[in-house]
Amino acid sequence: MKINPNLAVSESGFLFNPGTGESFTVNPTGAEIIRLLREGLSLEQVIDAFTEQFQVDRHTFEKDLHDFSGILKTYNLLEKDE
Amino acid sequence: MSKPRYTIAVTGLNAIDSPGPGVAVIRGLREAVSFDVRIIGLAYESLEPGVYMDEVTDKTYLIPYPTAGTDILFDRLMYIHTQEKIDVIIPNFDAELYSFMKLENKLRDSGIRMFLPTFEQFEERHKVNLSEFGKKYKLDVPESIPVTDSYEIQKHIAALDFPMMVKGKWYDAFIAYNAEQARTYFNKIAAKWGLPVVLQKYVHGTEYNVTGLGDGNGNTIAAVPMRKQYITDKGKAWAGISIDDPKLLEITRRFVSETRWRGGFELEMMKSSDGKYYLMEINPRIPAWVYLAVGVGQNIPEALTLLALGQNPPAYDKYDVGKLFIRYSWDMIVDRSEFENFSVKGEL
């Protein structure tokens, strides 16, 4: 899963899509997920990174990540072919 | 090197809740890098805010409404010209454009330049003719049907379905959810703006606007797309953001090159949920939000002035993306004597 490369992402979690003019805010967890995806990590690797770094069980995080990626897709924040 | 100084007359000083473009146009002119300006405001009403904004207009004159006829308008403009030696006039209202277009040659003979669409361009892009316009230039437009009697609405319901847009030929647009509402809006609009009233298929989606400038030879001199961020109850943007959308710019360039558009314009577009753009309306003049274009690097009023003066300004090829305009209200305190002067003498 790849984030729309044109998306402007600030450290504060503010997202701006220059193609549509839409803007969004995400919490620190969302911002970290987006940062890792932009670095080229796969969803599986994001799950590994989070479960290593934070006290969260793999199953719960996987479910939340699935919901979050659905939101990213709904708002056209992923690459076109995703 | 000293810059030339031009005297430019501008209409549309009604910087109110549904603002005319004049004040924004003047701000662009005052920030022009290629010339200095003396600004002459042309106002239809004595309470247009721009009349009293000292940093906006150097002098303002009342002018007659278009309904008074072009002869009376011409006489008034000639009086103002003898006082001010006007180089360029930039009209900013749809409803006055026809009068100024009719006077373009006479005014040019008197030394006043304008840069307006041709009669053909003005007429064929009219919302009354939008369906034909779309077919001719292969642009997607929602089906539009001009009607002159509220009884005609019934027979177009099958084609347009509800909700449908009911639009005035100059201004105003309402969403009607049933035949009764459509008839009510028809009567309201017909009483205010005359006939025909336009029924238009409603397109669900997000509204995007583009302001630009065509040189009359098919070249796009400026084009800035914007997404409305917040709108008033009259549908006017009070905040918007510049965006980078190659498809919108491609449609804009196609519009300019196909029509060989001459002058400033605003394209009102709707992007449907499947990503298709519909051209909803073409305004044949600079829009009130033009200062965003100036702020992101494309000074449309400056380039339009240069075109009016017979020069060839280079086409802008970039602008800043992600810059917002946010409109605000500002109460001025004006002495009664100024209001009195303008109301009685017609100049201030």
Side-chain angles (χ1 to χ4, degrees):
Chain A
M1 191 170 75
K2 289 196 176 112
I3 295 291
N4 178 346
N6 296 322
L7 192 70
V9 183
S10 70
E11 283 182 16
S12 65
F14 185 82
L15 316 177
F16 172 65
N17 185 344
T20 64
E22 290 169 307
S23 51
F24 308 87
T25 51
V26 291
N27 65 15
T29 308
E32 180 64 6
I33 293 169
I34 289 172
R35 189 184 71 76
L36 294 173
L37 289 172
R38 277 163 73 92
E39 281 181 7
L41 270 64
S42 66
L43 284 180
E44 215 39 50
Q45 288 169 315
V46 171
I47 295 166
D48 291 343
F50 263 80
T51 47
E52 275 170 28
Q53 199 177 345
F54 303 103
Q55 284 188 320
V56 56
D57 71 87
R58 194 172 182 88
H59 178 72
T60 305
F61 184 74
E62 198 173 336
K63 183 176 152 300
D64 290 348
L65 182 60
H66 180 75
D67 290 347
F68 185 64
S69 59
I71 293 169
L72 294 178
K73 191 178 172 100
T74 301
Y75 289 115
N76 299 313
L77 301 177
L78 302 179
E79 263 194 336
K80 280 273 180 272
D81 52 354
E82 293 284 338
Chain B
M1 202 174 75
S2 68
K3 292 190 278 185
R5 182 179 168 89
Y6 300 128
T7 298
I8 305 176
V10 179
T11 68
L13 305 179
N14 54 329
I16 53 170
D17 62 336
S18 178
V23 169
V25 167
I26 292 168
R27 291 183 73 194
L29 293 172
R30 290 204 178 279
E31 291 180 21
V33 292
S34 56
F35 53 75
D36 291 325
V37 287
R38 173 172 163 76
I39 297 292
I40 305 302
L42 302 176
Y44 291 99
E45 295 278 352
S46 50
L47 279 176
E48 291 183 25
V51 176
Y52 304 96
M53 298 167 80
D54 294 336
E55 70 283 11
V56 170
T57 46
D58 294 301
K59 176 113 192 216
T60 303
Y61 292 84
L62 262 178
I63 57 170
Y65 273 105
T67 46
T70 49
D71 290 343
I72 291 172
L73 175 63
F74 183 72
D75 290 346
R76 180 62 175 159
L77 292 174
M78 283 301 100
Y79 166 76
I80 298 167
H81 190 41
T82 56
Q83 306 297 309
E84 305 292 345
K85 301 283 176 287
I86 298 168
D87 295 302
V88 173
I89 296 179
I90 304 180
N92 288 304
F93 286 123
D94 296 19
E96 72 183 359
L97 273 184
Y98 195 80
S99 307
F100 279 96
M101 283 159 56
K102 273 179 84 174
L103 292 176
E104 189 164 18
N105 291 339
K106 276 174 86 175
L107 289 172
R108 191 188 302 118
D109 292 343
S110 307
I112 300 174
R113 307 297 189 89
M114 294 187 289
F115 200 70
L116 303 176
T118 64
F119 279 107
E120 189 189 353
Q121 290 168 346
F122 183 77
E123 283 303 324
E124 72 175 1
R125 63 82 232 174
H126 203 289
K127 58 184 108 173
V128 171
N129 305 320
L130 194 63
S131 288
E132 290 305 312
F133 184 90
K135 278 181 210 146
K136 182 174 174 185
Y137 296 113
K138 298 182 176 56
L139 294 164
D140 289 315
V141 299
E143 188 171 359
S144 302
I145 303 169
V147 292
T148 52
D149 193 308
S150 64
Y151 290 105
E152 289 180 57
I153 293 170
Q154 197 64 35
K155 72 178 178 194
H156 298 302
I157 288 175
L160 300 177
D161 206 359
F162 288 109
M164 72 167 73
M165 298 300 298
V166 186
K167 293 183 160 188
K169 67 174 173 177
W170 299 119
Y171 300 103
D172 279 347
F174 298 97
I175 303 171
Y177 291 90
N178 54 51
E180 186 56 38
Q181 276 185 351
R183 275 192 292 275
T184 304
Y185 292 138
F186 173 94
N187 291 328
K188 192 173 174 174
I189 290 170
K192 197 169 175 187
W193 300 113
L195 297 169
V197 170
V198 178
L199 306 179
Q200 192 175 73
K201 198 172 182 68
Y202 184 81
V203 179
H204 290 272
T206 308
E207 197 175 330
Y208 292 89
N209 290 8
V210 184
T211 183
L213 176 65
D215 70 353
N217 296 314
N219 302 306
T220 302
I221 302 300
V224 174
M226 174 274 284
R227 175 197 165 101
K228 289 183 180 180
Q229 296 282 83
Y230 224 129
I231 58 170
T232 67
D233 56 359
K234 289 181 179 163
K236 305 293 169 187
W238 101 49
I241 191 162
S242 60
I243 60 162
D244 175 23
D245 187 328
K247 178 79 182 156
L248 265 180
L249 290 173
E250 192 267 318
I251 293 171
T252 304
R253 288 196 192 94
R254 186 144 52 90
F255 158 75
V256 172
S257 80
E258 292 277 330
T259 61
R260 304 174 79 80
W261 189 265
R262 185 176 187 270
F265 63 86
E266 178 191 30
L267 304 183
E268 295 186 7
M269 312 283 296
M270 193 70 86
K271 187 181 184 182
S272 62
S273 49
D274 59 355
K276 193 170 172 181
Y277 283 101
Y278 289 89
L279 183 56
M280 308 300 289
E281 214 165 294
I282 303 160
N283 293 317
R285 39 98 193 142
I286 293 173
W289 59 273
V290 72
Y291 192 69
L292 175 68
V294 178
V296 299
Q298 299 201 5
N299 194 330
I300 291 175
E302 178 180 7
L304 184 141
T305 300
L306 294 174
L307 286 167
L309 292 166
Q311 300 175 30
N312 292 306
Y316 291 107
D317 58 3
K318 60 182 183 200
Y319 58 88
D320 297 334
V321 174
K323 280 228 172 9
L324 292 120
F325 79 88
I326 303 170
R327 199 166 275 159
Y328 64 98
S329 305
W330 181 273
D331 296 345
M332 286 183 291
I333 304 303
V334 175
D335 195 84
R336 189 195 63 207
S337 62
E338 290 189 43
F339 175 62
E340 180 185 323
N341 259 341
F342 194 65
S343 301
V344 175
K345 295 179 185 163
E347 48 190 273
L348 185 67

